[in-house]
Amino acid sequence: MTIKENYQQIRAEVPDHVTIVAAVKTRTTDELKMLIDAGIADIGENYIQEAEEMRKALGDEARRVRWHFIGHLQTNKINKALELFDVIQTLDSVKLARAIDKRAETVMSILIEINSGREPQKTGLLPEDAEQAIREIAPLENLSIKGLMTMGPRFGNPEDARPYFKETKKLFDHIASLNIPGAEMDVLSMGMSNAYGIAIEEGSTLIRPGTLLFGERMSC
Ligand SMILES: *Cc1c(COP(=O)(O)O)cnc(C)c1O
């Protein structure tokens, strides 16, 4: 199947309220163009430099879609990230939030990344630390919290990801119930190619497929 057909199939399959963010790391601009022509509205990129090159190569077309940063943001890349992206999905510390707030000139939409698998090598706030962090981040003027994001462990069997999605959804509902000013809980970003269906069953409103749209990656 072509990239366009892959996108149309998944768009037809998932409920209308679920946003599809195409994870485009390591892909070519031509591949990305096919997807934009197929009608995708949201692009996710892990790497600042790749995003910069893609946006440059796409020219005006780059503005037809929203750009989501889904990688690990280093402090020295904040200014570039603010320039290139509409949403930062991977805000994982109060310190990073303060650094972004200081540099931003307009309000940046963010998601709080949760390390639902509690994996020491993974980024994201532990579920038990999230509420306190959100209370500290929410008042920052140039950040607007829109929801939560999680990777979940990348197990072979998609069912194994379910408990992590469930836990993140529980946290999402809990934070929503607190009605913290500056912390909307509208977006729950979870589910990649292998377990997006389960993520949606567990309450995801935004999935991030890569492989499913483009085929296997050569690296990363
Ligand atoms: C690579 C990546 C994806 C897409 O993964 P696939 O398995 O190719 O669907 C989604 N989200 C993040 C944060 C990623 O790094």
Side-chain angles (χ1 to χ4, degrees):
M1 290 217 297
T2 64
I3 291 171
K4 183 175 178 186
E5 286 165 341
N6 289 340
Y7 171 68
Q8 286 170 339
Q9 181 165 325
I10 179 172
R11 184 63 277 179
E13 183 192 322
V14 307
D16 288 348
H17 75 273
V18 174
T19 303
I20 300 171
V21 175
V24 301
K25 59 175 177 271
T26 77
R27 308 300 176 176
T28 66
T29 307
D30 281 344
E31 288 175 300
L32 187 46
K33 260 197 183 123
M34 285 180 217
L35 202 54
I36 295 173
D37 288 340
I40 196 123
D42 294 271
I43 300 294
E45 182 44 90
N46 294 63
Y47 306 111
I48 300 283
Q49 196 184 334
E50 267 190 19
E52 192 171 25
E53 287 166 7
M54 280 178 179
R55 290 202 63 149
K56 203 174 279 171
L58 285 168
D60 284 346
E61 223 173 344
R63 281 193 285 273
R64 282 170 58 191
V65 292
R66 273 183 300 275
W67 293 78
H68 301 244
F69 185 71
I70 58 173
H72 182 59
L73 185 55
Q74 288 157 331
T75 314
N76 63 346
K77 301 271 174 68
I78 290 174
N79 286 342
K80 275 278 173 211
L82 289 168
E83 201 181 290
L84 295 166
F85 292 94
D86 303 293
V87 184
I88 295 172
Q89 289 207 7
T90 45
L91 204 290
D92 65 353
S93 74
V94 175
K95 192 169 157 235
L96 179 62
R98 293 213 172 99
I100 295 171
D101 182 58
K102 219 162 67 184
R103 289 167 177 81
E105 282 163 11
T106 54
V107 177
M108 174 56 85
S109 296
I110 59 156
L111 304 182
I112 303 294
E113 184 182 357
I114 306 299
N115 182 357
S116 57
R118 296 193 164 73
E119 295 167 285
Q121 77 278 17
K122 284 256 174 80
T123 52
L125 287 158
L126 293 175
E128 56 271 29
D129 296 335
E131 180 183 332
Q132 182 54 39
I134 288 171
R135 287 192 186 281
E136 291 177 46
I137 295 167
L140 298 175
E141 238 170 67
N142 294 323
L143 294 185
S144 176
I145 302 174
K146 302 293 188 193
L148 305 182
M149 177 270 200
T150 198
M151 287 283 279
R154 266 176 152 174
F155 290 134
N157 181 357
E159 270 301 330
D160 293 340
R162 194 185 291 278
Y164 303 98
F165 295 151
K166 253 194 209 319
E167 175 159 11
T168 309
K169 167 67 167 152
K170 205 172 121 199
L171 178 64
F172 181 84
D173 289 341
H174 169 67
I175 302 289
S177 76
L178 300 172
N179 287 316
I180 301 168
E184 291 168 38
M185 285 292 124
D186 288 338
V187 180
L188 182 54
S189 170
M190 49 187 202
M192 299 179 274
S193 294
N194 75 329
Y196 71 92
I198 288 167
I200 293 169
E201 283 171 23
E202 296 303 333
S204 169
T205 71
L206 184 157
I207 59 173
R208 307 182 310 269
T211 309
L212 200 71
L213 295 167
F214 298 108
E216 291 297 337
R217 271 184 302 278
M218 303 301 274
S219 58
C220 307

